[in-house]
Every structure is written in structure tokens, then in C-alpha cells.
Amino acid sequence: MKLKINASSLNGEISVPGDKSISHRSIMFGSLAKGTTTITHFLRADDCLDTLKIFKQMGVPIHDDGTTITIEGQGLTGLKDPQKTLDVGNSGTTIRLLMGILAGQSFDVTLTGDASIQKRPMNRVMLPLQEMGVAIEGDSETEFPPVVIKGNNKIQAIEYKLPVASAQVKSALLFAALFAKGETTLIEKEKTRNHTEVMIKQFGGEIEVDEKVIRLNGGQEFTGQQVVVPGDISSAAFFIVAGLIIPNSRVVLKNVGLSQTRTGIIDVVKSMGGQIEIVDVDEENESGTIIVESSELVATEISGDIIPRLIDELPIIALLATQAKGTTIIKDAEELRVKETDRIQAVADELSKLGAKIEPTEDGLIIHGGEKLHAGNVTSYGDHRIGMMLQVAALLVEEGDVVLDKSEAVSVSYPNFFEDLDSLMSEV
Ligand code: S3P
């Protein structure tokens, strides 16, 4: 696909699509609760639609009228044998959280996904689940999908220190802990997104969170709820950065989720001198409006406990750093190497093709700002966030073609991304 180039300004307002992490979980909790759950502003993108399809395949009545999704919950152990392999597509959140949920059911099941999923590490979930007594294994004695999970496990509560900072691992173990007798204690390496903990409470469960220590008792019941999904800050991030680096711009992003565990990008933009304002904050729903304007930016260092608060935004933050004065250093982000693709290598290789000065390191990137970007042929590697980052980069290219291979990956999290960008380019 030929990308849009040479944007002279970006102006206007966007209501960003629903949060991907919360959309997945709303289907999961709605299915495991008793009674009816309704979901509005659900993200109808490939990843979340795969989660929805899978719960339907396990016998959960789910109806989508185009505005509201209605789920007739089956209770914690009420899922039915799908009688076939479940395919999560490209979604790491789906496969990992499902492992915890399926550990507590009465049937055997196999989980698989696309070529990217078949290369992603699963021991981080399978090993602690095995410790809890779950019969689960990867393909041919590897840790990779297809993953087979046996039913009727006798699940034991554990105390477990997570060796990686991962909300997916934490969430899978919290789901499994619901089926155990007694109290499970999880100790996080760093604080990660807390949507599972928040939803356990929202659906009437009990969970104790004391900084990085989480305690949960098994044998709880959930009750159906009305879920309103806020906009995804990880999708808003592309337009936050675009508004900052394209001259003469002012971009308004409405109804963006502002969970403290997700707002690292706002802190980084501020530390780089970017003009960013948060208004109309709705404390109860943890959401608000973000306004950005074209800015003079300076380099920064991004490391330590902020990393999980912006892990998915690092590719677009790397682009932001190419437009800042000075050298930006990103470290402690080795998790980027095991995302939908190796995002450290992908960001370095693809932005270099467009003229950026950027070096990959083992656990991050070193970005020398101030280079002008030029035309070139790039690829998303089938990774939605790499694809969208490259489109924002192309807006800075003054002449020639920027051609993106595998642009269709964008539909994994933001099917209307190109249309929303168009709307900002046409408004004056
Ligand atoms: C997610 C957690 C993060 C994030 C992913 C979504 C979630 O992964 O990168 O896009 O919904 O829990 P990790 O928890 O593996 O870091």
C-alpha cells in the first residue's frame, strides 16, 4: 500500500476505538459471570472478534446488534467443549488469558493461532500453571502453540513471583486461581496494566491489591454487568505523536482510557517538552480527552518501571524521538522482542530505511533525533503497531513514495485507522 506523505497539518477530533485489553476481558468476564452482561464501545477489530468467536464456540450465547454486545453468562465452569481446535488468530492476550480460564473447565482443548502466535513464548504462563497442577503443554515438547490443555485439573493455590512484567501472565494466573481452593498470592516484577483486577471487582468479586502484591481467593462467583469500554490509549498514541510532530497541528482525542497503568506515554511526551493537555476527565470511568499541538521536542531517557505503562507505545515513541533534539535512550524493554514481531529490530530496521538514525540494543533503542525522513519501501512484518507507526512516519516524508507491505495488519486493533487519519488531513 502507498502511504500518505507530506502532511502540512493535522487538525480535528477523533473518537478512538474501544480499548483492546478491556474489550477482550469484557467478553471473558461476561461469559464466566452468571446473568446478562452488556458491552458498549466494544472494539470490533480482528483480535477481539477472535475472542468473541471462541467464547461462542464454547457455547456462550453472545449477540451483537451493532451497538451493544449482549452475553448470557454461563458461570465459571459452564463453558462447553468446542469439539475443535480454538484459533486465536494474532492475539497473544486471547491465548494467554484463555489458558487460565480453560484450566478450570472439564474438557480437553487445543489452542493455536497464526504464524506470529506460533513463535511466541508460552512457558511464562504454562510453567506456573503446571505448578498449580494444570496439565498443559506446547507443541512437540516446545513452549510454542498449538497448546494442549487437559480438563478436570485439581488446581492448587500458589504464591508466585512473576519473573516477567506481564499483565497477560498475571491475568492468566488470576483466572486459574479462581478455580483453586484457598488464596493465591502473585507478586509482580513491575506494576502492569490492572484491567483484570478492576474487572474482578466490577463483576462482584473480591481481590486485594497492595502495590505489586495481589491476593485472590478461589471459589468466587461473578454477576453480569454493563461494561462501557473506554477508547484505547494505545490507538490514540498514533495520533498523539502525529499531532506533535506534524507542523501546524492540533488534534483532539475524545474518550481515551486513562488508567494510571497505561499513561506512560503522556509522561514521556511531557518530559520531551510536548504540548499535551488532558481535559474533561471522568474519574469514575478513568477516561478523558487528550489534546496535542505541534511541538519542539527534546530527547529523553525511558527505562525502569515506566516501561510496562507504555510497552505497546514504544514503536511510536521511537518515531517521536527521531523528531526530537538530542539522543533518546530506551532501555529495560526486552519484552518488545517477543511481541507480535521483534519490535526492537523491526522499528530500527524500518525507520532506518526511511533515513532515521536509530540503533537497536538488547533491551531497547538508541535514537539520534533530528534526521529528515525520506521515501522508501517498508514492511509491518504483519504487526499492526509497526504498520501504523510507519504511516505516521510517512507523513513527514516530503516527496516520493513510501510503500508499506502487509498494511492489512492494522485491522488487528484499529480497522478505521487510515480513514481517521484522512479526516485529520482534510480538516483545516
Ligand atoms: C496486554 C498486555 C501486554 C500488552 C498487550 C495486551 C493485555 O502484554 O503488550 O498488547 O491485554 O493484558 P504483556 O502483558 O505480555 O506485556
Side-chain angles (χ1 to χ4, degrees):
M1 168 183 187
K2 219 191 223 182
L3 298 178
K4 293 172 226 302
I5 63 158
N6 200 21
S8 52
S9 70
L10 294 178
N11 278 286
E13 194 175 290
I14 285 177
S15 174
V16 288
D19 187 275
K20 183 156 82 65
S21 293
I22 297 175
S23 293
H24 283 302
R25 288 163 173 80
S26 64
I27 297 282
M28 295 174 181
F29 278 97
S31 298
L32 298 176
K34 288 208 163 133
T36 306
T37 286
T38 57
I39 310 166
T40 47
H41 203 46
F42 178 77
L43 175 63
R44 287 177 186 75
D46 295 349
D47 261 18
C48 300
L49 291 172
D50 280 329
T51 294
L52 190 154
K53 173 199 72 189
I54 283 173
F55 279 86
K56 273 187 170 172
Q57 287 173 337
M58 293 193 290
V60 182
I62 305 178
H63 176 71
D64 183 1
D65 71 5
T67 309
T68 305
I69 292 183
T70 306
I71 306 180
E72 297 308 329
Q74 302 296 297
L76 263 191
T77 53
L79 300 178
K80 304 222 166 61
D81 186 347
Q83 311 272 10
K84 58 163 100 102
T85 295
L86 296 174
D87 185 350
V88 304
N90 188 243
S91 178
T93 305
T94 309
I95 194 164
R96 295 204 176 108
L97 272 56
L98 264 179
M99 289 182 201
I101 292 171
L102 293 170
Q105 308 300 318
S106 60
F107 49 85
D108 300 354
V109 62
T110 303
L111 296 174
T112 194
D114 69 5
S116 152
I117 280 290
Q118 292 183 34
K119 284 188 258 161
R120 295 187 67 184
M122 296 299 153
N123 266 348
R124 49 183 58 202
V125 182
M126 294 198 300
L127 295 178
L129 283 181
Q130 285 162 359
E131 231 178 273
M132 294 173 87
V134 179
I136 180 166
E137 55 185 38
D139 189 36
S140 321
E141 294 180 16
T142 70
E143 65 167 311
F144 303 111
V147 168
V148 178
I149 307 165
K150 299 280 183 206
N152 297 312
N153 295 292
K154 284 235 165 322
I155 303 183
Q156 295 131 34
I158 49 167
E159 177 169 327
Y160 186 69
K161 210 169 161 184
L162 275 78
V164 281
S166 165
Q168 292 180 352
V169 176
K170 170 178 67 177
S171 302
L173 301 182
L174 287 175
F175 277 123
L178 290 169
F179 303 101
K181 260 212 174 108
E183 186 182 77
T184 287
T185 304
L186 302 180
I187 302 138
E188 291 203 83
K189 186 175 176 206
E190 298 287 358
K191 193 101 200 81
T192 62
R193 66 190 66 194
N194 63 356
H195 307 303
T196 303
E197 297 92 306
V198 169
M199 277 186 145
I200 285 176
K201 282 197 185 142
Q202 185 185 357
F203 277 76
E206 277 178 26
I207 183 164
E208 207 184 291
V209 182
D210 183 7
E211 294 291 315
K212 294 181 196 164
V213 182
I214 303 168
R215 293 196 172 84
L216 179 81
N217 272 306
Q220 308 198 24
E221 274 197 358
F222 297 138
T223 315
Q225 298 295 317
Q226 296 179 349
V227 180
V228 182
V229 181
D232 197 328
I233 191 166
S234 299
S235 297
F238 298 98
F239 295 113
I240 291 176
V241 168
L244 291 166
I245 63 179
I246 303 297
N248 312 310
S249 297
R250 183 173 191 273
V251 176
V252 179
L253 300 156
K254 305 276 279 190
N255 176 33
V256 182
L258 295 172
S259 158
Q260 260 293 320
T261 58
R262 298 282 300 280
T263 48
I265 186 173
I266 296 175
D267 299 349
V268 164
V269 167
K270 285 183 180 161
S271 76
M272 295 175 81
Q275 295 188 61
I276 187 163
E277 205 189 333
I278 319 294
V279 298
D280 296 337
V281 175
D282 177 341
E283 301 279 353
E284 203 184 310
N285 292 322
E286 292 191 308
S287 63
T289 295
I290 299 179
I291 305 172
V292 289
E293 289 182 27
S294 324
S295 303
E296 295 281 328
L297 299 159
V298 290
T300 189
E301 181 178 314
I302 307 168
S303 61
D305 60 6
I306 197 172
I307 295 292
R309 297 179 54 232
L310 45 64
I311 187 75
D312 290 343
E313 288 67 78
L314 283 169
I316 192 70
I317 288 173
L319 172 67
L320 183 67
T322 68
Q323 302 307 302
K325 203 166 164 211
T327 298
T328 291
I329 295 172
I330 300 174
K331 27 185 217 193
D332 304 324
E334 61 278 359
E335 275 297 299
L336 281 186
R337 291 208 179 266
V338 291
K339 293 292 176 189
E340 284 82 333
T341 188
D342 176 344
R343 286 183 174 162
I344 291 179
Q345 205 58 48
V347 166
D349 287 350
E350 300 317 291
L351 283 178
S352 296
K353 286 183 194 166
L354 300 181
K357 271 178 88 181
I358 175 164
E359 300 155 36
T361 64
E362 205 129 285
D363 66 347
L365 291 156
I366 299 171
I367 305 141
H368 307 284
E371 294 299 316
K372 227 172 154 176
L373 301 190
H374 57 65
N377 292 339
V378 288
T379 176
S380 76
Y381 300 88
D383 181 327
H384 52 132
R385 300 200 198 282
I386 301 295
M388 289 187 273
M389 180 277 286
L390 289 167
Q391 168 57 92
V392 178
L395 297 175
L396 295 164
V397 173
E398 283 171 12
E399 53 181 14
D401 289 338
V402 182
V403 179
L404 174 66
D405 192 23
K406 301 196 172 156
S407 58
E408 68 285 350
V410 163
S411 66
V412 159
S413 65
Y414 200 158
N416 287 331
F417 171 72
F418 293 108
E419 287 81 356
D420 280 356
L421 175 59
D422 261 344
S423 78
L424 294 179
M425 289 178 82
S426 54
E427 286 182 47
V428 192

